[in-house]
Amino acid sequence: MAPYESDRTAGAEGLPDEADDVRAGRRKAARYVVPVAVVGVAAATIGLVPALADSGDPSLPKIAAEQLIEKIAKSDVQQLSGTVKVSTDLGLPSLGGLESGMLSGVTKGSGGSSADPQSKLMELASGTHTVRVAADGPDKAKVSVLENAAEYSIIHNGNDVWAYDSKSNEVYHSTAPAAEKGQEKAPKDVPTTPKQLADEALKSVDDTTSVTVDGTAQVAGRDAYKLLIKPKQSGSTVGAITVAVDAKTGVPLKFTLVPTSGGAAVVDAGFTQVAFAKPAASTFDFTPPKGAKVTEGKDSKGSKDLKGSKDSKAPESAPSRGDLGKGLDGLKTVGKGWSTIAEFDTGGQGMPSGSSSQGGNVSGFLNSLGDHVKGKFGSGTVFSTRLVNALITDDGKVYAGAVTKDALVKAANAAH
Protein backbone atom coordinates (compact mmCIF):
# COMPACT_ATOMS: atom_id res chain seq x y z
CA MET A 1 0.00 0.00 0.00
CA ALA A 2 1.25 3.47 -0.82
CA PRO A 3 2.47 5.59 2.08
CA TYR A 4 -0.10 8.28 1.33
CA GLU A 5 -3.58 6.97 2.03
CA SER A 6 -6.70 8.57 0.60
CA ASP A 7 -9.18 7.31 3.15
CA ARG A 8 -8.61 10.06 5.69
CA THR A 9 -7.95 13.33 3.91
CA ALA A 10 -9.59 16.55 5.05
CA GLY A 11 -12.33 16.02 2.50
CA ALA A 12 -10.30 15.28 -0.63
CA GLU A 13 -9.18 12.17 -2.47
CA GLY A 14 -5.45 11.31 -2.63
CA LEU A 15 -3.36 12.00 -5.70
CA PRO A 16 -3.03 9.14 -8.25
CA ASP A 17 -0.49 6.51 -7.28
CA GLU A 18 0.76 6.35 -10.88
CA ALA A 19 2.15 9.88 -10.74
CA ASP A 20 5.63 8.58 -9.97
CA ASP A 21 7.37 11.75 -11.04
CA VAL A 22 5.25 13.84 -8.71
CA ARG A 23 5.77 11.34 -5.89
CA ALA A 24 9.54 11.42 -6.42
CA GLY A 25 9.43 15.19 -6.21
CA ARG A 26 7.46 15.01 -2.99
CA ARG A 27 9.95 12.68 -1.39
CA LYS A 28 12.81 14.90 -2.41
CA ALA A 29 10.98 17.89 -1.03
CA ALA A 30 10.11 16.02 2.16
CA ARG A 31 13.72 16.09 3.27
CA TYR A 32 12.50 17.58 6.29
CA VAL A 33 12.03 12.34 11.97
CA VAL A 34 11.47 9.21 11.52
CA PRO A 35 12.53 6.08 13.04
CA VAL A 36 15.26 7.07 15.41
CA ALA A 37 17.81 4.35 14.79
CA VAL A 38 20.52 5.25 17.25
CA VAL A 39 20.42 6.56 20.79
CA GLY A 40 22.75 9.42 19.86
CA VAL A 41 20.51 10.44 16.99
CA ALA A 42 17.52 10.22 19.28
CA ALA A 43 19.06 12.70 21.68
CA ALA A 44 19.49 15.17 18.87
CA THR A 45 15.99 14.68 17.56
CA ILE A 46 13.92 14.41 20.65
CA GLY A 47 15.22 17.38 22.59
CA LEU A 48 11.83 18.88 22.97
CA VAL A 49 6.75 18.86 25.31
CA PRO A 50 3.50 19.30 27.83
CA ALA A 51 0.81 18.99 25.25
CA LEU A 52 -0.43 22.38 24.07
CA ALA A 53 -4.19 22.61 23.95
CA ASP A 54 -5.57 23.14 20.45
CA SER A 55 -8.66 25.26 20.24
CA GLY A 56 -11.38 25.43 17.68
CA ASP A 57 -12.04 23.33 14.60
CA PRO A 58 -11.77 25.74 11.67
CA SER A 59 -13.50 25.04 8.39
CA LEU A 60 -10.83 24.87 5.72
CA PRO A 61 -10.75 23.83 2.06
CA LYS A 62 -10.27 20.11 1.54
CA ILE A 63 -6.72 18.89 1.00
CA ALA A 64 -5.03 15.52 0.43
CA ALA A 65 -2.05 14.28 2.42
CA GLU A 66 0.28 14.53 -0.58
CA GLN A 67 -0.77 18.10 -1.18
CA LEU A 68 -0.25 19.03 2.46
CA ILE A 69 3.26 17.59 2.44
CA GLU A 70 4.00 19.54 -0.72
CA LYS A 71 2.68 22.64 1.02
CA ILE A 72 5.18 22.10 3.85
CA ALA A 73 8.03 21.50 1.40
CA LYS A 74 7.24 24.59 -0.66
CA SER A 75 6.86 26.85 2.35
CA ASP A 76 9.38 29.64 2.00
CA VAL A 77 8.76 31.71 5.09
CA GLN A 78 11.94 33.73 5.65
CA GLN A 79 10.82 35.92 8.52
CA LEU A 80 9.07 35.00 11.74
CA SER A 81 9.15 35.40 15.50
CA GLY A 82 7.32 33.62 18.24
CA THR A 83 7.26 31.54 21.42
CA VAL A 84 7.39 27.75 21.44
CA LYS A 85 6.53 25.60 24.43
CA VAL A 86 8.36 22.28 24.38
CA SER A 87 8.99 19.32 26.67
CA THR A 88 9.93 15.66 26.63
CA ASP A 89 8.73 12.67 28.60
CA LEU A 90 11.03 9.77 27.81
CA GLY A 91 10.10 7.94 31.00
CA LEU A 92 13.65 7.91 32.31
CA PRO A 93 14.12 6.95 35.96
CA SER A 94 14.47 9.89 38.30
CA LEU A 95 18.11 10.00 39.30
CA GLY A 96 17.97 13.29 41.17
CA GLY A 97 21.41 14.73 41.75
CA LEU A 98 23.06 11.97 39.70
CA GLU A 99 21.17 13.00 36.59
CA SER A 100 22.01 16.70 37.00
CA GLY A 101 25.60 15.81 37.73
CA MET A 102 25.87 13.78 34.54
CA LEU A 103 24.44 16.65 32.51
CA SER A 104 26.84 19.04 34.17
CA GLY A 105 29.73 16.78 33.27
CA VAL A 106 28.63 16.67 29.64
CA THR A 107 28.28 20.44 29.59
CA LYS A 108 31.81 20.99 30.80
CA GLY A 109 33.19 18.19 28.67
CA SER A 110 32.89 20.05 25.35
CA GLY A 111 35.66 22.62 25.43
CA GLY A 112 34.89 23.60 29.00
CA SER A 113 32.13 26.10 28.15
CA SER A 114 28.61 25.89 29.55
CA ALA A 115 27.50 27.98 26.57
CA ASP A 116 28.56 25.40 23.96
CA PRO A 117 25.37 24.60 21.95
CA GLN A 118 26.22 20.89 21.66
CA SER A 119 26.40 20.66 25.44
CA LYS A 120 23.27 22.70 26.02
CA LEU A 121 21.30 20.36 23.81
CA MET A 122 21.57 17.69 26.47
CA GLU A 123 19.67 19.88 28.91
CA LEU A 124 16.76 20.12 26.46
CA ALA A 125 16.38 16.34 26.41
CA SER A 126 14.04 16.33 29.39
CA GLY A 127 11.46 18.47 31.11
CA THR A 128 9.52 21.50 29.94
CA HIS A 129 11.00 24.56 28.28
CA THR A 130 9.84 27.86 26.87
CA VAL A 131 11.75 28.91 23.76
CA ARG A 132 11.65 32.16 21.84
CA VAL A 133 12.61 32.04 18.18
CA ALA A 134 13.21 34.65 15.50
CA ALA A 135 14.44 34.46 11.92
CA ASP A 136 15.14 36.90 9.12
CA GLY A 137 16.38 35.03 6.08
CA PRO A 138 18.68 32.01 6.00
CA ASP A 139 21.61 33.59 7.85
CA LYS A 140 19.91 35.47 10.69
CA ALA A 141 18.30 33.52 13.48
CA LYS A 142 17.96 33.59 17.25
CA VAL A 143 16.83 30.87 19.65
CA SER A 144 16.48 31.68 23.36
CA VAL A 145 15.69 29.13 26.06
CA LEU A 146 14.07 30.86 29.03
CA GLU A 147 15.05 29.46 32.42
CA ASN A 148 14.38 30.51 36.01
CA ALA A 149 15.91 33.98 36.31
CA ALA A 150 18.25 33.12 33.42
CA GLU A 151 18.35 32.80 29.66
CA TYR A 152 20.39 30.84 27.14
CA SER A 153 20.56 32.20 23.59
CA ILE A 154 22.08 31.21 20.27
CA ILE A 155 22.41 34.00 17.71
CA HIS A 156 23.33 33.34 14.09
CA ASN A 157 24.16 36.54 12.23
CA GLY A 158 25.97 36.13 8.94
CA ASN A 159 29.27 34.32 9.49
CA ASP A 160 29.07 34.56 13.28
CA VAL A 161 27.33 32.17 15.64
CA TRP A 162 27.18 33.31 19.27
CA ALA A 163 25.84 31.40 22.27
CA TYR A 164 25.38 33.05 25.66
CA ASP A 165 24.54 31.49 29.01
CA SER A 166 23.47 34.28 31.36
CA LYS A 167 23.54 31.96 34.39
CA SER A 168 27.29 31.35 34.11
CA ASN A 169 28.03 34.53 32.15
CA GLU A 170 29.82 32.46 29.52
CA VAL A 171 29.92 33.03 25.77
CA TYR A 172 30.70 30.55 22.99
CA HIS A 173 31.64 31.88 19.55
CA SER A 174 32.19 30.12 16.25
CA THR A 175 32.17 31.06 12.60
CA ALA A 176 30.17 29.51 9.81
CA PRO A 177 29.72 30.41 6.15
CA ALA A 178 26.53 32.29 5.36
CA ALA A 179 23.69 29.87 4.84
CA GLU A 180 22.52 29.21 1.33
CA LYS A 181 18.91 29.58 0.36
CA GLY A 182 16.89 26.60 1.53
CA GLN A 183 19.11 25.72 4.45
CA GLU A 184 17.99 25.77 8.07
CA LYS A 185 17.02 29.21 9.31
CA ALA A 186 18.00 28.44 12.89
CA PRO A 187 21.04 26.84 14.49
CA LYS A 188 21.00 23.09 13.82
CA ASP A 189 22.42 22.33 17.26
CA VAL A 190 19.10 23.17 18.93
CA PRO A 191 16.12 21.59 17.10
CA THR A 192 13.51 23.55 19.02
CA THR A 193 10.82 24.37 16.47
CA PRO A 194 7.94 22.25 15.15
CA LYS A 195 9.30 22.68 11.62
CA GLN A 196 12.69 21.22 12.48
CA LEU A 197 10.99 18.21 14.05
CA ALA A 198 8.50 17.83 11.21
CA ASP A 199 11.27 17.99 8.61
CA GLU A 200 13.01 15.09 10.32
CA ALA A 201 9.79 13.07 10.67
CA LEU A 202 8.95 13.35 6.99
CA LYS A 203 12.27 11.83 5.99
CA SER A 204 10.86 8.36 6.59
CA VAL A 205 7.69 8.69 4.57
CA ASP A 206 7.79 5.54 2.43
CA ASP A 207 5.82 2.34 1.97
CA THR A 208 6.27 1.54 5.67
CA THR A 209 4.30 4.65 6.62
CA SER A 210 0.67 5.73 6.62
CA VAL A 211 0.19 9.47 6.01
CA THR A 212 -3.25 11.06 6.18
CA VAL A 213 -4.91 14.38 6.93
CA ASP A 214 -6.69 14.11 10.28
CA GLY A 215 -8.93 17.16 10.31
CA THR A 216 -8.14 20.70 11.34
CA ALA A 217 -7.17 22.65 14.44
CA GLN A 218 -6.22 26.11 15.63
CA VAL A 219 -2.73 26.65 17.02
CA ALA A 220 -1.41 29.99 18.30
CA GLY A 221 -4.54 31.63 16.90
CA ARG A 222 -3.95 30.32 13.37
CA ASP A 223 -5.97 27.84 11.33
CA ALA A 224 -4.13 24.61 10.61
CA TYR A 225 -4.45 21.19 9.02
CA LYS A 226 -3.38 18.12 11.03
CA LEU A 227 -1.06 15.72 9.22
CA LEU A 228 -1.06 12.24 10.80
CA ILE A 229 1.99 10.00 10.31
CA LYS A 230 1.82 6.39 11.56
CA PRO A 231 4.13 3.39 11.11
CA LYS A 232 2.53 0.43 9.36
CA GLN A 233 5.14 -1.95 10.75
CA SER A 234 4.93 -3.77 14.05
CA GLY A 235 7.76 -3.52 16.54
CA SER A 236 8.16 0.26 16.49
CA THR A 237 7.77 2.26 19.69
CA VAL A 238 6.42 5.20 17.68
CA GLY A 239 2.63 5.19 17.85
CA ALA A 240 1.84 8.27 15.79
CA ILE A 241 3.14 11.71 14.89
CA THR A 242 0.80 14.64 14.37
CA VAL A 243 1.97 17.83 12.68
CA ALA A 244 -0.29 20.90 12.71
CA VAL A 245 0.44 22.81 9.48
CA ASP A 246 -0.44 26.47 9.06
CA ALA A 247 -3.11 26.61 6.37
CA LYS A 248 -1.82 29.85 4.90
CA THR A 249 1.96 29.57 4.99
CA GLY A 250 2.59 25.81 5.19
CA VAL A 251 4.76 26.25 8.29
CA PRO A 252 4.43 23.47 10.89
CA LEU A 253 3.03 25.04 14.04
CA LYS A 254 2.97 22.02 16.34
CA PHE A 255 4.61 18.59 16.49
CA THR A 256 3.40 15.75 18.73
CA LEU A 257 4.81 12.21 19.00
CA VAL A 258 2.97 9.61 21.04
CA PRO A 259 4.40 6.14 21.78
CA THR A 260 2.73 2.80 21.14
CA SER A 261 2.62 2.32 24.91
CA GLY A 262 0.13 5.18 25.19
CA GLY A 263 -0.03 7.88 27.85
CA ALA A 264 1.42 11.36 27.56
CA ALA A 265 3.27 12.44 24.44
CA VAL A 266 6.97 11.70 24.33
CA VAL A 267 7.62 14.85 22.31
CA ASP A 268 5.28 17.79 21.88
CA ALA A 269 6.45 21.18 20.63
CA GLY A 270 4.17 23.94 19.53
CA PHE A 271 3.91 27.68 19.07
CA THR A 272 1.91 29.56 21.67
CA GLN A 273 2.46 32.77 19.74
CA VAL A 274 3.79 33.39 16.22
CA ALA A 275 4.04 36.28 13.78
CA PHE A 276 5.29 36.18 10.20
CA ALA A 277 6.83 39.63 10.09
CA LYS A 278 10.39 40.95 9.87
CA PRO A 279 11.99 41.01 13.34
CA ALA A 280 13.86 44.14 14.40
CA ALA A 281 17.47 44.13 13.14
CA SER A 282 18.69 44.57 16.71
CA THR A 283 17.28 41.11 17.54
CA PHE A 284 20.37 39.54 15.99
CA ASP A 285 22.97 41.90 17.45
CA PHE A 286 25.26 40.52 20.13
CA THR A 287 28.28 41.82 22.05
CA PRO A 288 29.79 39.74 24.85
CA PRO A 289 28.89 41.31 28.21
CA LYS A 290 31.68 42.86 30.22
CA GLY A 291 33.55 40.27 32.23
CA ALA A 292 32.10 37.30 30.37
CA LYS A 293 34.30 34.32 29.63
CA VAL A 294 34.43 33.86 25.85
CA THR A 295 35.37 30.49 24.36
CA GLU A 296 36.29 30.28 20.69
CA GLY A 297 35.00 27.23 18.82
CA LYS A 298 37.53 25.16 16.93
CA ASP A 299 36.13 26.32 13.60
CA SER A 300 36.61 29.99 14.50
CA LYS A 301 39.51 31.97 13.12
CA GLY A 302 42.04 32.34 15.89
CA SER A 303 41.43 32.58 19.60
CA LYS A 304 41.96 36.28 20.18
CA ASP A 305 40.33 38.07 23.08
CA LEU A 306 36.99 39.58 22.21
CA LYS A 307 35.63 42.89 23.32
CA GLY A 308 33.97 42.68 26.69
CA SER A 309 35.90 39.64 27.85
CA LYS A 310 38.87 39.50 30.18
CA ASP A 311 38.94 35.72 30.24
CA SER A 312 39.01 34.49 26.65
CA LYS A 313 40.83 31.37 25.71
CA ALA A 314 40.69 28.67 23.08
CA PRO A 315 39.40 25.32 24.28
CA GLU A 316 41.28 22.11 23.97
CA SER A 317 40.31 20.06 20.99
CA ALA A 318 36.78 18.82 21.59
CA PRO A 319 35.34 15.73 19.93
CA SER A 320 33.04 16.42 17.03
CA ARG A 321 29.86 14.51 16.39
CA GLY A 322 31.69 12.52 13.77
CA ASP A 323 33.99 11.21 16.49
CA LEU A 324 31.10 9.46 18.21
CA GLY A 325 31.44 6.51 15.87
CA LYS A 326 35.14 5.99 16.47
CA GLY A 327 35.92 2.75 18.23
CA LEU A 328 32.65 1.13 17.11
CA ASP A 329 33.34 -1.98 15.10
CA GLY A 330 31.19 -2.43 11.99
CA LEU A 331 28.39 0.02 12.70
CA LYS A 332 25.45 -0.99 10.53
CA THR A 333 21.67 -0.96 10.45
CA VAL A 334 19.25 -3.85 10.07
CA GLY A 335 15.62 -3.67 9.06
CA LYS A 336 13.94 -0.76 7.32
CA GLY A 337 11.65 2.15 7.99
CA TRP A 338 10.36 2.55 11.49
CA SER A 339 11.79 -0.83 12.55
CA THR A 340 15.40 0.09 11.74
CA ILE A 341 17.90 -1.08 14.36
CA ALA A 342 21.49 0.13 14.71
CA GLU A 343 23.97 -2.65 15.43
CA PHE A 344 27.59 -2.20 16.47
CA ASP A 345 30.35 -3.70 18.57
CA THR A 346 31.84 -1.68 21.41
CA GLY A 347 34.88 -3.91 21.46
CA GLY A 348 34.36 -4.30 25.19
CA GLN A 349 32.94 -6.93 27.45
CA GLY A 350 29.43 -5.57 27.67
CA MET A 351 27.78 -4.91 31.02
CA PRO A 352 29.30 -6.93 33.86
CA SER A 353 26.72 -8.51 36.12
CA GLY A 354 26.01 -7.10 39.54
CA SER A 355 27.84 -10.00 41.11
CA SER A 356 30.96 -9.38 39.07
CA SER A 357 33.98 -8.37 41.10
CA GLN A 358 34.94 -6.03 38.28
CA GLY A 359 31.58 -4.32 38.17
CA GLY A 360 31.11 -3.73 41.85
CA ASN A 361 28.21 -1.67 43.12
CA VAL A 362 28.20 0.58 40.04
CA SER A 363 27.53 -2.27 37.64
CA GLY A 364 24.90 -3.62 39.98
CA PHE A 365 23.16 -0.24 39.98
CA LEU A 366 23.28 0.04 36.19
CA ASN A 367 21.95 -3.47 35.76
CA SER A 368 19.06 -2.66 38.08
CA LEU A 369 17.92 -0.03 35.57
CA GLY A 370 17.60 -2.58 32.76
CA ASP A 371 15.86 -5.86 31.96
CA HIS A 372 17.99 -8.99 31.68
CA VAL A 373 17.34 -11.08 28.55
CA LYS A 374 18.73 -14.29 27.06
CA GLY A 375 18.86 -15.76 23.58
CA LYS A 376 21.14 -17.24 20.94
CA PHE A 377 23.46 -14.31 21.64
CA GLY A 378 23.88 -15.42 25.24
CA SER A 379 22.64 -12.88 27.74
CA GLY A 380 22.40 -9.11 27.93
CA THR A 381 20.57 -6.12 29.35
CA VAL A 382 17.91 -3.96 27.70
CA PHE A 383 17.85 -0.31 28.74
CA SER A 384 14.51 1.28 27.89
CA THR A 385 12.85 4.65 27.50
CA ARG A 386 9.35 5.27 26.18
CA LEU A 387 10.81 5.74 22.70
CA VAL A 388 14.37 4.45 22.31
CA ASN A 389 15.58 1.07 23.59
CA ALA A 390 19.05 -0.47 23.56
CA LEU A 391 20.23 -4.04 24.13
CA ILE A 392 23.82 -4.48 25.33
CA THR A 393 24.95 -8.09 25.23
CA ASP A 394 27.54 -9.50 27.61
CA ASP A 395 30.06 -9.75 24.76
CA GLY A 396 29.85 -6.03 23.97
CA LYS A 397 27.39 -5.97 21.06
CA VAL A 398 24.80 -3.16 21.02
CA TYR A 399 21.42 -3.11 19.27
CA ALA A 400 19.46 0.15 19.51
CA GLY A 401 16.47 1.83 17.94
CA ALA A 402 12.95 3.18 18.34
CA VAL A 403 11.74 -0.41 18.59
CA THR A 404 10.43 -2.74 21.28
CA LYS A 405 12.53 -4.98 23.50
CA ASP A 406 11.29 -8.05 21.63
CA ALA A 407 12.44 -6.55 18.32
CA LEU A 408 15.94 -5.99 19.74
CA VAL A 409 16.16 -9.56 21.04
CA LYS A 410 14.99 -10.88 17.68
CA ALA A 411 17.66 -8.86 15.86
CA ALA A 412 20.37 -10.06 18.25
CA ASN A 413 19.29 -13.69 17.77
CA ALA A 414 19.36 -13.28 13.99
CA ALA A 415 22.91 -11.94 14.14
CA HIS A 416 24.18 -15.09 15.88
Side-chain angles (χ1 to χ4, degrees):
M1 184 179 293
Y4 305 97
E5 299 177 354
S6 59
D7 60 334
R8 293 186 64 195
T9 63
E13 296 298 321
L15 297 181
D17 288 340
E18 57 266 31
D20 291 337
D21 54 338
V22 176
R23 187 180 301 282
R26 284 195 302 267
R27 289 179 178 172
K28 181 179 180 181
R31 62 194 184 290
Y32 297 107
V33 163
V34 220
V36 181
V38 224
V39 177
V41 176
T45 320
I46 303 173
L48 311 168
V49 184
L52 302 175
D54 294 332
S55 60
D57 187 10
S59 177
L60 295 171
K62 298 174 182 179
I63 191 170
E66 299 94 323
Q67 296 169 321
L68 187 54
I69 287 179
E70 289 176 353
K71 190 176 185 70
I72 297 172
K74 292 178 181 179
S75 178
D76 192 33
V77 171
Q78 297 285 312
Q79 300 168 332
L80 67 81
S81 60
T83 302
V84 181
K85 192 171 184 180
V86 298
S87 66
T88 37
D89 183 7
L90 289 172
L92 294 170
S94 177
L95 302 181
L98 176 61
E99 180 180 19
S100 60
M102 290 171 65
L103 291 176
S104 177
V106 171
T107 298
K108 289 298 183 180
S110 183
S113 174
S114 67
D116 187 333
Q118 292 189 29
S119 301
K120 207 66 179 179
L121 177 62
M122 297 300 295
E123 297 182 20
L124 294 178
S126 64
T128 301
H129 305 274
T130 298
V131 181
R132 288 178 182 163
V133 298
D136 183 9
D139 59 354
K140 287 188 177 182
K142 182 175 182 179
V143 175
S144 297
V145 181
L146 307 184
E147 303 171 337
N148 292 331
E151 182 175 318
Y152 174 79
S153 297
I154 299 177
I155 304 97
H156 177 199
N157 194 342
N159 291 338
D160 290 304
V161 177
W162 296 94
Y164 176 58
D165 185 355
S166 68
K167 183 182 297 183
S168 63
N169 198 29
E170 293 190 22
V171 176
Y172 184 89
H173 174 253
S174 64
T175 58
E180 297 177 1
K181 185 176 180 180
Q183 288 183 338
E184 295 291 338
K185 301 174 181 61
K188 293 182 180 180
D189 284 322
V190 186
T192 52
T193 67
K195 183 181 186 304
Q196 290 171 321
L197 291 167
D199 286 355
E200 286 298 308
L202 290 174
K203 284 179 182 176
S204 55
V205 171
D206 57 16
D207 58 3
T208 69
T209 312
S210 164
V211 184
T212 58
V213 178
D214 191 31
T216 61
Q218 195 171 75
V219 180
R222 298 185 65 88
D223 293 345
Y225 294 102
K226 294 194 296 184
L227 186 69
L228 181 65
I229 304 170
K230 299 180 69 175
K232 292 180 180 178
Q233 302 165 297
S234 61
S236 174
T237 54
V238 176
I241 291 174
T242 302
V243 181
V245 182
D246 186 64
K248 185 175 182 180
T249 67
V251 172
L253 299 175
K254 183 181 177 185
F255 175 98
T256 304
L257 186 157
V258 295
T260 53
S261 59
V266 171
V267 181
D268 187 72
F271 280 99
T272 57
Q273 180 275 326
V274 65
F276 299 104
K278 182 182 178 69
S282 59
T283 302
F284 311 103
D285 293 338
F286 180 79
T287 300
K290 184 178 180 180
K293 173 186 174 182
V294 180
T295 300
E296 286 290 326
K298 64 178 182 178
D299 56 344
S300 298
K301 298 180 180 179
S303 57
K304 60 183 179 180
D305 288 356
L306 299 176
K307 182 178 179 181
S309 172
K310 296 182 180 181
D311 189 17
S312 291
K313 65 178 181 179
E316 296 179 2
S317 179
S320 66
R321 287 183 178 173
D323 294 331
L324 294 177
K326 289 185 177 180
L328 302 182
D329 182 19
L331 176 63
K332 63 178 181 179
T333 59
V334 294
K336 62 178 290 188
W338 301 86
S339 297
T340 301
I341 296 174
E343 176 186 338
F344 57 90
D345 190 341
T346 64
Q349 298 300 314
M351 292 292 298
S353 66
S355 60
S356 169
S357 59
Q358 293 179 329
N361 293 331
V362 174
S363 64
F365 169 72
L366 291 175
N367 274 278
S368 70
L369 299 178
D371 295 327
H372 297 283
V373 293
K374 293 184 178 181
K376 294 179 180 179
F377 54 87
S379 59
T381 305
V382 175
F383 296 92
S384 302
T385 70
R386 298 177 66 217
L387 186 64
V388 179
N389 297 320
L391 164 61
I392 304 178
T393 64
D394 288 349
D395 61 356
K397 302 293 193 304
V398 177
Y399 303 85
V403 297
T404 63
K405 177 176 70 175
D406 290 343
L408 294 177
V409 172
K410 183 178 180 180
N413 282 332
H416 286 73

